[in-house]
């Protein structure tokens, strides 16, 4: 006992005895609202005191081992079985995996309950602290508490790599969801293109141009529809996208490139229509071209009514 006291401060020994007395005293245990978690807290504090004593002690390679061996003998003599050196090594590791630096019993108990799950027992935590991956450990801790897993259930799921199975399933689910979303968006765009084509061809002056027959080259994003408006005597390109500063800077250049490639008998610069997700239409013109007057603008849609 003298050797242990020479390694642990008197304050640490008093603290240790207070924690362990709570676990072996029926009167004190009865006063605790959650006896299982009280044991978890006590073991964490034992681990804390061991680590702090090691940090303040001699720099010999065997200092920690000797400390735990001597402490094990002292606690076993005083409190009985349950404090063999292998268990104390587990308590030490428990604190290492869930550290709260510079903690005392008063300052750390509230924070410890926030960091750990009070629904779990010490046997759960012994299994958890053997898991190296912190994210995996947190997953099992929360799942075990939320689902009410017993120690044996948790052990079985850890051994079966349940964490990675769930992760792969969720990843596959996300991929499938994104794929379905992309397909739905593509279907939506195709439907909108068809309706817009039908609406514009039903109005005076619009004639559809087959994009495949055009000798023009377009950069991405290419227009989804191209018309010739014979009342305006202009080519009209239609894009189906929401507006953005980059897009508004790029599309006039696309139209300018088209103007340089269009037949010489067409003297008017092409016009672009940008149809948003809400079917609102924004008119795009070549930067150096003459702006459309009010009568010309009236021939272009402001909104695609479905």
């Amino acid at each position: 006992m003298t050797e242990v006291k020479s390694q642990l401060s008197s304050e640490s020994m008093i603290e240790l005895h207070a924690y362990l007395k709570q676990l072996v005293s029926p009167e004190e245990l009865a006063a605790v609202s959650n006896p299982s978690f009280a044991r978890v807290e006590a073991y964490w504090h034992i681990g804390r005191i061991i680590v702090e004593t090691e940090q303040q002690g001699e720099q010999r390679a065997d200092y920690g081992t000797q400390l735990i061996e001597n402490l094990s003998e002292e606690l076993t003599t005083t409190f009985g079985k349950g404090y063999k050196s292998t268990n104390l090594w587990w308590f030490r590791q428990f604190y290492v995996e869930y550290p709260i630096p510079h903690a005392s019993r008063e300052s750390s108990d509230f924070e410890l309950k926030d960091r750990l799950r009070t629904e779990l027992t010490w046997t759960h935590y012994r299994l958890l602290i053997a898991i190296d991956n912190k994210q995996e450990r947190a997953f099992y801790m929360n799942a075990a508490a939320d689902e009410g897993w017993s120690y044996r259930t948790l052990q079985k799921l850890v051994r079966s790599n349940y964490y990675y199975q769930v992760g792969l399933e969720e990843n596959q689910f996300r991929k499938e969801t994104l794929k379905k979303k992309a397909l739905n968006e593509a279907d939506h765009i195709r439907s909108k293109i068809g309706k817009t084509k039908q609406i514009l061809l039903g109005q005076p002056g619009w004639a559809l141009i087959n994009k495949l027959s055009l000798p023009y080259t377009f950069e991405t994003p290419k227009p989804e529809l191209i018309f010739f408006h014979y009342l305006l005597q202009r080519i009209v390109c239609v894009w189906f996208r929401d507006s953005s500063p980059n897009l508004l800077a790029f599309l006039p250049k696309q139209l300018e490139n088209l103007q340089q490639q269009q037949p010489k008998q067409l003297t008017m610069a092409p016009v672009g229509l940008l149809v948003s997700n809400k079917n609102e239409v924004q008119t795009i013109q070549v930067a150096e071209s003459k702006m459309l007057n009010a009568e010309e603008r009236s021939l272009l849609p402001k909104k695609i009514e479905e």
Side-chain angles (χ1 to χ4, degrees):
M1 184 184 294
T2 304
E3 193 170 1
V4 175
K5 288 183 177 178
S6 68
Q7 291 174 297
L8 290 179
S9 67
S10 58
E11 292 84 359
S12 295
M13 284 302 298
I14 292 170
E15 197 176 358
L16 266 182
H17 278 256
Y19 297 143
L20 299 178
K21 184 170 179 271
Q22 177 179 283
L23 298 181
V24 297
S25 168
E27 294 79 13
E28 293 205 29
L29 197 58
V32 176
S33 60
N34 188 341
S36 292
F37 192 71
R39 186 179 298 275
V40 170
E41 287 181 293
Y43 292 166
W44 182 88
H45 279 292
I46 293 171
R48 173 179 64 80
I49 291 171
I50 291 171
V51 171
E52 290 175 352
T53 303
E54 287 176 340
Q55 292 171 346
Q56 296 166 7
E58 301 174 31
Q59 298 301 312
R60 301 198 319 264
D62 65 341
Y63 180 77
T65 301
Q66 185 181 355
L67 168 66
I68 286 177
E69 292 292 341
N70 292 338
L71 182 58
S72 170
E73 184 179 343
E74 156 71 5
L75 296 179
T76 300
T77 301
T78 307
F79 296 103
K81 64 180 183 178
Y83 301 102
K84 58 185 180 180
S85 58
T86 52
N87 285 342
L88 296 189
W89 281 111
W90 278 112
F91 302 162
R92 180 188 180 280
Q93 189 63 23
F94 188 29
Y95 172 77
V96 169
E97 298 300 340
Y98 296 96
I100 302 176
H102 313 298
S104 66
R105 185 176 185 181
E106 292 74 18
S107 67
S108 65
D109 280 355
F110 181 78
E111 189 174 349
L112 188 60
K113 288 176 182 176
D114 276 349
R115 185 168 298 192
L116 302 178
R117 294 299 297 264
T118 58
E119 302 94 327
L120 303 183
T121 65
W122 168 242
T123 53
H124 286 96
Y125 282 108
R126 259 197 63 166
L127 186 57
L128 290 170
I129 59 180
I131 299 172
D132 292 330
N133 186 318
K134 291 183 179 181
Q135 288 182 322
E136 182 181 356
R137 188 192 310 144
F139 166 82
Y140 282 121
M141 180 179 73
N142 291 314
D146 292 339
E147 302 298 329
W149 292 345
S150 67
Y151 166 77
R152 291 191 181 280
T153 300
L154 176 60
Q155 183 184 51
K156 182 179 178 181
L157 292 171
V158 170
R159 287 177 176 175
S160 67
N161 292 318
Y162 177 70
Y163 167 76
Y164 295 97
Q165 294 174 28
V166 171
L168 288 173
E169 288 173 4
E170 288 181 349
N171 189 45
Q172 185 63 30
F173 176 76
R174 283 194 295 270
K175 285 182 178 178
E176 291 295 328
T177 301
L178 290 173
K179 184 177 179 181
K180 287 180 182 178
K181 184 178 179 182
L183 290 173
N184 289 339
E185 288 178 351
D187 287 341
H188 179 66
I189 291 293
R190 280 194 292 268
S191 175
K192 183 179 285 191
I193 290 172
K195 289 179 180 178
T196 302
K197 181 167 62 174
Q198 185 178 7
I199 290 170
L200 295 182
L201 289 177
Q203 296 179 7
W206 295 84
L208 185 66
I209 299 176
N210 185 346
K211 291 192 292 182
L212 296 177
S213 66
L214 291 175
Y216 314 143
T217 57
F218 289 96
E219 295 180 34
T220 303
K222 299 178 181 180
E224 280 78 19
L225 291 172
I226 302 177
F227 295 90
F228 180 70
H229 200 294
Y230 54 84
L231 296 178
L232 291 174
Q233 287 294 296
R234 297 174 187 265
I235 293 175
V236 181
C237 298
V238 185
W239 287 269
F240 293 85
R241 284 169 178 76
D242 283 327
S243 179
S244 70
N246 288 340
L247 191 60
L248 292 179
F250 179 74
L251 293 185
K253 295 177 182 177
Q254 278 269 52
L255 295 173
E256 186 177 352
N257 182 47
L258 175 57
Q259 182 181 14
Q260 293 171 0
Q261 299 179 68
Q262 70 183 10
K264 293 184 178 179
Q265 58 266 35
L266 292 179
T267 58
M268 309 299 288
V271 173
L273 300 179
L274 185 59
V275 183
S276 73
N277 194 45
K278 295 181 179 179
N279 292 332
E280 295 172 346
V281 180
Q282 188 172 358
T283 302
I284 310 294
Q285 288 191 252
V286 175
E288 302 299 325
S289 66
K290 182 181 177 182
M291 298 299 293
L292 296 171
N293 59 39
E295 184 179 354
E296 289 172 323
R297 284 185 173 275
S298 68
L299 297 174
L300 299 173
K302 296 181 181 178
K303 188 168 185 176
I304 303 295
E305 301 292 346
E306 295 190 25

